Structure formats: structure tokens, C-alpha cells
Amino acid sequence: MDAPTKLLLFMAALLTCVGCAFSATLCPNCGVTPVPYPFSTSPTCGDQDYKIRCDAAGTLQFDTLNSSYPITSINPALQRLVIKPSSFLPNTCITSDLVHQGLQLNSSLPFNVTSSNTIMYMNCSTTILGSPLNCSSASLCHVYINDTRDRAQCEEPSASICCTFKAGGSTNSYMIRVREGGCRAYTSFVNLDVSQPLDRWPEPGVEIQWVTPREPVCGSQADCDGNSTCGVDPSESGVRRCFCKSGLSWDPVEGVCVERLTCQDPSGCGGSSGRTALIAGLTAGIGTTLIAATIAILLYKRHRRIKEAQERLAREREEILNSGGGGKAAKIFTGKEIKKATDNFSKDRLLGSGGYGEVYKGILKDGTEVAVKCAKLGNTKGTDQVLNEVRILCQVNHRSLVGLLGCCVELEQPILVYEYISNGTLLEHLQGLKFGGRGLLTWSHRLQVAHDTAEGLAYLHSSAVPPIYHRDVKSSNILLDEKLNAKVSDFGLSRLAHSDLSHISTCAQGTLGYLDPEYYKKYQLTDKSDVYSFGVVLLELLTSQKAIDFNRAEDDVNLAVYVQRTVEEEKVMEAIDPMLKEKASKLELETMKALAFLAMGCLEERRQNRPSMKEVSEEIEYIISIAKSEAAKI
């Protein structure tokens, strides 16, 4: 599309919004600083999920879990803001937020620390040397403290360990951690050009991005403007939003409903006569060509900024894919290959969808069947999860883990390509939703699924370097192939267990019914959190019941609580799936009981009382050997 056509389309887009009211109320300026949508400085303006604070001095403040930081800039087009890092305590190499263990974002809110930050950790203890931080004498951090007078106290022998951390494409971090016994000071620079001398470095800052806001929440039609209708949100139970009327679409940057442009022809819309008519209409609509051109140029620049941000994200994704280290090599697919494989993302190829995006069945040029996962366009957290999955799967390769074949970096949203597992999920089989119902999953099949899954998780915990915590182990994330072999999938929430960066998220994430209660209370992630979740999966295999089911008695809604009660009452066999017990031998019934007690061991409230996944895998293998000895006799 040529430049004049771009300008005309931008001006046309502007005209469609002339006179349209805001679907959301903008907040007033904070001092002289505008507060762009979706930010909210009071309960009556902006989006309440995007709260910031205007202090008495007229400065915008970004509140974290335990502290507050001044906002130095906001870029609505790129959905990013910069905050000023914590200051140093007088005459020390200690940041004032050490008492709060550094900058800690609430991971349940739509904000995260971006990969554009180069972080300098200072005054570190020797325990940090085993981490992935660059703590060598040649690290960028040493350049910083050696050439900066006000950081001279960080050069003292007692505070001389200084490390540099560059996220390297990671866009899913929720904290910059400082603590006693680790590093006690930090600072950060956004988009740092290391080729520049120190006196040309930018002011310290931490860049934070936010998720694209949804349509405003409403109680009734009175809360919406004339361009939107208050309706039930199908993706959030009990929530109503101001949805744009037909022909209009939500602009999350401006917080308005705008008219959709129907022209999709990349070479331009219509011939020269149509263009002349459009120019005449634009001239009549805005009064003067000069005003129209000025506005168009501003919009064109905004478009360029957005495009540059998208290109930057594509580079980050490619860097992640190419940094897999010792794991499985993955291919970079072109956008054309992906569209052809999925029949241009045909709804007939849709395998499933979730909060992150959608999964399609694809067929490559050589006939290979694949699963194609696409993050939702504009959904930053969904994008983060897909990018995180690339980073995890590029480092592992095990028969019980779903295989990553590659990804596409050309299209706007991140796209992953996996091996296609044809037989659905464990949850579908247990609930009778797949291939004739749960009757196909015999007791021997269920034991094998349990062992395959345990082996895959044990590999993540004990053989991957560094160890990996899955964080979302559940029956819907266990795929079965045509031989009913199990493969663990969906690594969007997984985390690498680096020695000083293991507690990446400060708030528990996962699925209700599978969450480790100690993780939920202490916000500390370990391998035993996966063990707890796997214990719930074992109960599902034994009972064929859901982890959370409101059709059970009020006290038994949670499956773990329900089975625990039957154990305490010495009636555990009453909870076992009747279809399993119906034709089971005496020895098979004993193996069912043994697996139930193993599950209860995984579900111990205190982490230290739970077995490791390696021990769980070995115990299931022993139970299988007993079951096979019975089969051999028959």
C-alpha cells in the first residue's frame, strides 16, 4: 500500500470516530500529566484493573504489592510505562525497597516487567554465583559501579559482587528481587545501548507493560454510551460489559468504539476515481486539507510506532527460539506455511481454545499432522504464556512431554507448532467425552498414564538443567496418543528453578482444585507444588470424578477433601470408580488402594512430607509390576 493510500485510510478511520463518545471515562490530569486510558486514579474513571495513584505533589505513582514507585513516562500506543527504581539508602549499597524484597508486582493484575530492562544487581552474596546472572569482573554491572561516583560504596570489598541480568526476550517476569543472602541493591536501564559511554546512558528506569484492556464493565445500559450495549461477557461468569454495536469495534488504546474499515485489499481500495471521491468527502468532513493532513501524519506516526513494537516483539520471539541451549532444535515456520497448514485458520480445524488463545489442527506440506497454538492478538498475558512455553520446550526432550516442532515469528501473535496428539485429553476420557467413554481406560491403562505422567514430571524436576516446575499439572493438560500413552502439555505457566530467581511470581497461579495450598499461602514455588497437583490427577484416575464438582455434597466439592474424608473413615474404596471395581480381581483392588494412599501422600499439606516426583514414579512402577504379576498368572 502506498503512503498516500495509508494516509487516506488513517483519515477515514479518524472520521469514523468523529462525534463518537468515550465507552470509558478518562481520568483527569495528575498535575500537568495526562492520565491515558485505561489507567484509573479514582473509582469513577478508567478501568479499575489498571489502578495507579496521583499523589499530592501531582506525580503519578505505580503501587506494587509492598511499595510504590514514581511513573516517569507512559506510552499508550505500545502499552508500556516506565517507573523510577528504588533509591539507595544513604552511604550504603542497599536499595530502600530491600525491606520489601525489591519490586514485586501482583501477578493477578495486568502488568509485568518487560524484556527491555537491563538490570544491575549489586552487593550480592556468594550464593548468587550459581545463578544465571553474569557476575564476572567484566560484566556490565562492574562497568557501571566503577564509573559512577554515587555508587562508589558498591565497590567496597564487602559489596563487590555485582551482576548483570538481561531478560533476553522474557516478557513474563513479575519481580526484581533483592534480599539478605542474595543481592541487596539493584538498578535498571530501559533499552540500554551498551555501545554508548556511561555518560550517555539513559536515566535508570524499569519498563512495565500492560495487557490490552477489555471493554468497560457495566451494571446496566446507563453505564454505556450510544455506541455500545451492556451485555453478558461469555468469557467471565457474572460479568457484564459495554460491547460495541454492530459495525463498530473496540479500540483499547483510546477506550472508544470505532467504525470498522471494510476495505482489506493490501494494494488499496478502489481506483483513482474512488480515491478522488474519498478525498472530497474527507475535505467536506474536516473543513480544511491542512487540518486533515496534520491529523493523518500524527496517526501515521502512531501506526509506525505500533509496527516497530510488533517488529521488536518478532525479534524477541526469534531470539527465544534460537536460545534453547542443550534441548530440542525447533524450526522457524513462515506465516505462509502456517496459514496453508491450517487452511487459513479455518474454524473446521479448531481443536480447542482458552484464555491464551486457540489451537488448530494443521497439515504440513509433507503430510505431517501438527497442532498449532496461536496466542490471542493483543492479549499480553496469553502472549507471555506462549513465549514462555517456547523457552521451556526448547530445553527439554522426553517421550512423556509433548514435542515442540517450531514456531512462527512473522505473524503478529506468537504461534507454536507441536506434534499432533490424536486421542484427546485424559480429562475427556475420564469424563466419557472421548471415543466411547471412560470404559476404554482400563485399570492397566490408567496405571500406565499415571506412570508416563510421573516420568515426564520427574524428568522436568530431576534431569532438566536448570530444573523446571510445570505449575499447571491437571488432567486436561495430559494428552493421550492412539496407544493411550500420556504426554504432558501446556508449559505456559512453567518456570525455570534458578537458584536465586525461583520465586518469579509472587501470587499463586494454576487451576482451582489442583493448587498446592502451601504455595497458595506462601507464594513460594517448588517441585512439591507439582507433586500436589499430580496427586489430584491420581485421584481423578481412581474415581473418574472432577477435581472440583459442585454436584457433590457441599463439604465434598473439592475431590482431594472428599477422598481424604473417605480415607479417614476407612472407606476409601467407596470413592473408586465403580466401573473399575466391577470386574477387578482382589489383587487389582489392592493396587487401587495402594495408588490411593500414594495420592494422599502427594497431597500432604506440609511440602516436606510429600515424596519427590522421582519417588512417585518409582512407586507407580512398583504398583504396575504387582498388577502385571497378577495378569501373568491369569
Side-chain angles (χ1 to χ4, degrees):
M1 189 186 298
D2 57 20
T5 303
K6 284 182 178 179
L7 291 176
L8 290 172
L9 288 176
F10 279 127
M11 288 188 285
L14 174 71
L15 283 179
T16 62
C17 192
V18 170
C20 67
F22 271 88
S23 296
T25 306
L26 278 178
C27 292
N29 288 359
C30 177
V32 296
T33 307
V35 181
Y37 188 79
F39 291 108
S40 170
T41 54
S42 79
T44 58
C45 64
D47 188 317
Q48 297 305 301
D49 285 339
Y50 298 78
K51 291 179 181 178
I52 56 178
R53 188 164 47 82
C54 181
D55 66 17
T59 302
L60 287 173
Q61 298 281 340
F62 185 82
D63 293 330
T64 63
L65 284 174
N66 296 311
S67 192
S68 185
Y69 302 82
I71 298 174
T72 58
S73 68
I74 302 178
N75 189 329
L78 299 184
Q79 296 176 224
R80 301 192 178 211
L81 60 88
V82 177
I83 61 175
K84 185 178 180 180
S86 180
S87 59
F88 282 62
L89 295 175
N91 303 315
T92 69
C93 191
I94 299 174
T95 49
S96 57
D97 59 1
L98 175 67
V99 66
H100 305 307
Q101 294 204 337
L103 192 158
Q104 300 189 51
L105 303 186
N106 186 339
S107 63
S108 65
L109 295 179
F111 299 99
N112 61 264
V113 178
T114 77
S115 61
S116 302
N117 299 286
T118 299
I119 302 165
M120 314 292 184
Y121 286 104
M122 293 160 277
N123 195 1
C124 302
S125 67
T126 54
T127 59
I128 203 71
L129 297 178
S131 76
L133 306 180
N134 179 3
C135 303
S136 69
S137 59
S139 75
L140 198 61
C141 185
H142 281 285
V143 173
Y144 172 66
I145 63 171
N146 290 337
D147 292 350
T148 309
R149 286 183 181 177
D150 61 349
R151 293 285 77 80
Q153 62 268 27
C154 292
E155 294 181 294
E156 297 172 4
S158 61
S160 60
I161 298 181
C162 179
C163 310
T164 308
F165 178 67
K166 183 71 173 73
S170 172
T171 55
N172 63 348
S173 178
Y174 298 103
M175 68 185 302
I176 298 177
R177 188 183 187 203
V178 290
R179 63 183 178 91
E180 297 289 349
C183 297
R184 299 198 292 172
Y186 75 96
T187 193
S188 172
F189 297 92
V190 180
N191 296 323
L192 180 61
D193 183 351
V194 297
S195 66
Q196 295 291 327
L198 195 67
D199 59 4
R200 297 188 64 182
W201 283 16
E203 287 294 313
V206 179
E207 186 179 71
I208 293 172
Q209 65 183 8
W210 65 86
V211 178
T212 303
R214 297 284 311 279
E215 294 86 349
V217 174
C218 59
S220 66
Q221 183 59 41
D223 297 326
C224 305
D225 63 23
N227 291 320
S228 57
T229 303
C230 186
V232 176
D233 187 342
S235 64
E236 291 186 69
S237 178
V239 176
R240 294 169 63 84
R241 295 185 181 275
C242 296
F243 292 106
C244 297
K245 292 182 177 179
S246 177
L248 303 176
S249 61
W250 173 244
D251 180 346
V253 176
E254 301 296 340
V256 297
C257 290
V258 297
E259 187 173 336
R260 296 194 190 102
L261 289 175
T262 56
C263 171
Q264 300 295 329
D265 186 352
S267 63
C269 303
S272 59
S273 61
R275 216 179 264 176
T276 302
L278 178 58
I279 293 172
L282 290 170
T283 304
I286 51 181
T288 68
T289 304
L290 178 59
I291 295 174
T294 302
I295 294 173
I297 290 170
L298 291 173
L299 290 172
Y300 179 66
K301 286 183 177 179
R302 176 188 164 199
H303 172 76
R304 286 291 301 275
R305 288 196 301 269
I306 294 172
K307 186 173 179 62
E308 287 169 3
Q310 291 168 347
E311 290 171 351
R312 180 177 163 196
L313 281 174
R315 287 196 300 272
E316 287 181 0
R317 294 163 194 164
E318 193 162 0
E319 286 171 9
I320 292 173
L321 189 62
N322 292 330
S323 65
K328 187 175 181 180
K331 177 183 175 182
I332 296 178
F333 290 89
T334 65
K336 185 177 181 181
E337 287 177 303
I338 295 295
K339 288 179 178 178
K340 185 173 181 181
T342 59
D343 194 16
N344 202 23
F345 301 107
S346 169
K347 292 300 179 185
D348 295 336
R349 297 283 186 90
L350 186 64
L351 296 175
S353 60
Y356 58 82
E358 298 172 324
V359 179
Y360 295 86
K361 181 179 180 181
I363 303 175
L364 301 181
K365 187 165 60 175
D366 62 1
T368 303
E369 292 184 332
V370 295
V372 179
K373 177 185 279 190
C374 309
K376 282 183 180 177
L377 194 60
N379 185 326
T380 306
K381 285 208 171 178
T383 296
D384 292 344
Q385 289 190 17
V386 173
L387 291 177
N388 186 62
E389 194 156 6
V390 177
R391 186 167 55 258
I392 296 295
L393 287 177
C394 279
Q395 302 186 54
V396 297
N397 185 11
H398 187 271
R399 66 175 185 83
S400 294
L401 305 176
V402 67
L404 175 71
L405 303 181
C407 76
C408 175
V409 298
E410 287 183 359
L411 302 178
E412 282 187 276
Q413 69 268 51
I415 292 176
L416 303 188
V417 180
Y418 302 90
E419 61 177 325
Y420 177 62
I421 311 299
S422 60
N423 212 2
T425 69
L426 174 60
L427 178 66
E428 290 174 316
H429 282 269
L430 292 175
Q431 297 304 314
L433 304 174
K434 201 75 174 177
F435 305 123
R438 66 179 192 262
L440 287 181
L441 276 185
T442 64
W443 178 234
S444 61
H445 285 143
R446 298 186 193 211
L447 284 174
Q448 191 57 50
V449 167
H451 186 248
D452 289 343
T453 307
E455 273 201 326
L457 294 173
Y459 168 82
L460 294 176
H461 294 176
S462 306
S463 300
V465 180
I468 295 167
Y469 307 147
H470 188 283
R471 282 217 306 174
D472 200 19
V473 177
K474 56 184 178 181
S475 55
S476 59
N477 282 342
I478 299 171
L479 305 180
L480 304 184
D481 66 14
E482 65 282 353
K483 295 182 180 179
L484 298 180
N485 297 311
K487 289 181 180 282
V488 180
S489 70
D490 203 336
F491 292 79
L493 294 180
S494 301
R495 293 292 180 267
L496 301 175
H498 294 314
S499 61
D500 193 56
L501 299 173
S502 58
H503 303 147
I504 295 174
S505 175
T506 57
C507 284
Q509 294 190 56
T511 303
L512 193 63
Y514 298 88
L515 268 176
D516 171 8
E518 193 160 333
Y519 173 31
Y520 188 78
K521 287 187 289 187
K522 297 184 178 179
Y523 304 143
Q524 292 182 348
L525 175 67
T526 73
D527 59 328
K528 298 299 180 71
S529 301
D530 284 348
V531 172
Y532 183 94
S533 301
F534 180 71
V536 179
V537 172
L538 290 181
L539 296 186
E540 289 180 284
L541 284 165
L542 284 161
T543 66
S544 297
Q545 297 196 43
K546 297 177 183 177
I548 295 292
D549 191 346
F550 291 98
N551 291 321
R552 290 193 290 263
E554 184 177 345
D555 293 338
D556 296 337
V557 167
N558 185 301
L559 181 60
V561 173
Y562 164 56
V563 177
Q564 176 64 42
R565 180 179 60 77
T566 65
V567 170
E568 291 171 353
E569 295 173 357
E570 299 184 356
K571 299 177 180 178
V572 66
M573 294 306 293
E574 291 184 6
I576 306 297
D577 183 351
M579 291 182 66
L580 288 179
K581 294 187 292 185
E582 186 178 354
K583 297 181 180 179
S585 66
K586 183 177 180 181
L587 188 57
E588 283 178 327
L589 291 174
E590 287 301 315
T591 59
M592 292 176 195
K593 186 180 292 186
L595 195 71
F597 284 112
L598 175 61
M600 298 317 298
C602 295
L603 296 169
E604 283 281 353
E605 185 171 354
R606 294 174 62 85
R607 286 175 174 168
Q608 57 265 40
N609 294 338
R610 300 173 200 160
S612 68
M613 278 311 312
K614 188 172 178 59
E615 291 170 329
V616 172
S617 177
E618 291 171 352
E619 182 66 21
I620 296 174
E621 191 171 354
Y622 175 68
I623 293 173
I624 289 175
S625 69
I626 295 174
K628 284 184 176 178
S629 67
E630 170 75 1
K633 292 178 184 177
I634 297 173

